Amino acid sequence: MRFMMIVKASKDSEAGKMPDPALIAQMTKFNEELAKAGVLVDLNGLQASSKGVRVVHSGGKRTVVEGPFKNTEELIAGYWLINVKSKQEAIEWAMRAPPPHGPDKESAIELRQVFELEDFPPSEAIDDARKFGEKIGKTK
């Protein structure tokens, strides 16, 4: 089962402050452990919301809203996508991660399980989604 480990943003990450080299080294070591264990699917840090936009759907219309966005605790600074055997294993990996914003700063990693096509009841739409996944080389 796949889980996204989501690093919640901080005031520093939203201000564009780059992580300390020591923290980057700790994260690299952790990332290497994930890869060596064969559970790492993808990972990335995200730039501040000031460099992003939202496309808002409302009343049948689409509107582009420029960042930055308020409510820092709701924003994402980065993620890991892992493939593990259980929710408990995902929690164990998240517990091993270095504090994403440094040892002296509050930070949070949220775990969210990824939907798999097998989670949905059989239907023609799911069959089409599976065929599309095979077409683009995505097996899940």
Side-chain angles (χ1 to χ4, degrees), residues 99-110:
H101 301 300
D104 300 328
K105 297 190 179 175
E106 189 171 325
S107 56
I109 298 173
E110 179 179 329

Side-chain angles (χ1 to χ4, degrees), residues 65-77:
V65 179
E66 297 280 338
F69 306 116
K70 295 182 180 183
N71 300 329
T72 302
E73 66 276 356
E74 296 177 8
L75 299 175
I76 299 170

Side-chain angles (χ1 to χ4, degrees), residues 7 22-32 80 97-101:
V7 175
L23 178 58
I24 292 173
Q26 290 175 338
M27 285 294 183
T28 300
K29 182 179 178 196
F30 177 68
N31 296 340
E32 289 170 348
W80 294 271
H101 301 300

Side-chain angles (χ1 to χ4, degrees), residues 68-139:
F69 306 116
K70 295 182 180 183
N71 300 329
T72 302
E73 66 276 356
E74 296 177 8
L75 299 175
I76 299 170
Y79 69 91
W80 294 271
L81 183 60
I82 60 173
N83 193 349
V84 294
K85 293 181 176 92
S86 66
K87 181 178 181 180
Q88 184 58 41
E89 184 180 357
I91 292 169
E92 290 167 7
W93 279 110
M95 293 291 288
R96 291 175 60 182
H101 301 300
D104 300 328
K105 297 190 179 175
E106 189 171 325
S107 56
I109 298 173
E110 179 179 329
L111 291 170
R112 300 283 300 275
Q113 188 171 351
V114 175
F115 273 116
E116 306 294 354
L117 289 177
E118 294 75 25
D119 296 328
F120 296 91
S123 71
E124 186 176 332
I126 294 302
D127 292 342
D128 290 346
R130 188 172 281 109
K131 288 176 189 172
F132 177 73
E134 291 169 358
K135 182 179 178 181
I136 63 170
K138 184 177 173 192
T139 57

Side-chain angles (χ1 to χ4, degrees), residues 27-83:
M27 285 294 183
T28 300
K29 182 179 178 196
F30 177 68
N31 296 340
E32 289 170 348
E33 290 172 13
L34 288 166
K36 186 176 180 179
V39 301
L40 182 62
V41 176
D42 191 23
L43 73 154
N44 260 306
L46 302 175
Q47 296 210 17
S49 70
S50 61
K51 295 184 178 184
V53 300
R54 286 184 179 159
V55 177
V56 179
H57 296 255
S58 179
K61 295 181 181 180
R62 293 175 180 91
T63 306
V64 175
V65 179
E66 297 280 338
F69 306 116
K70 295 182 180 183
N71 300 329
T72 302
E73 66 276 356
E74 296 177 8
L75 299 175
I76 299 170
Y79 69 91
W80 294 271
L81 183 60
I82 60 173
N83 193 349

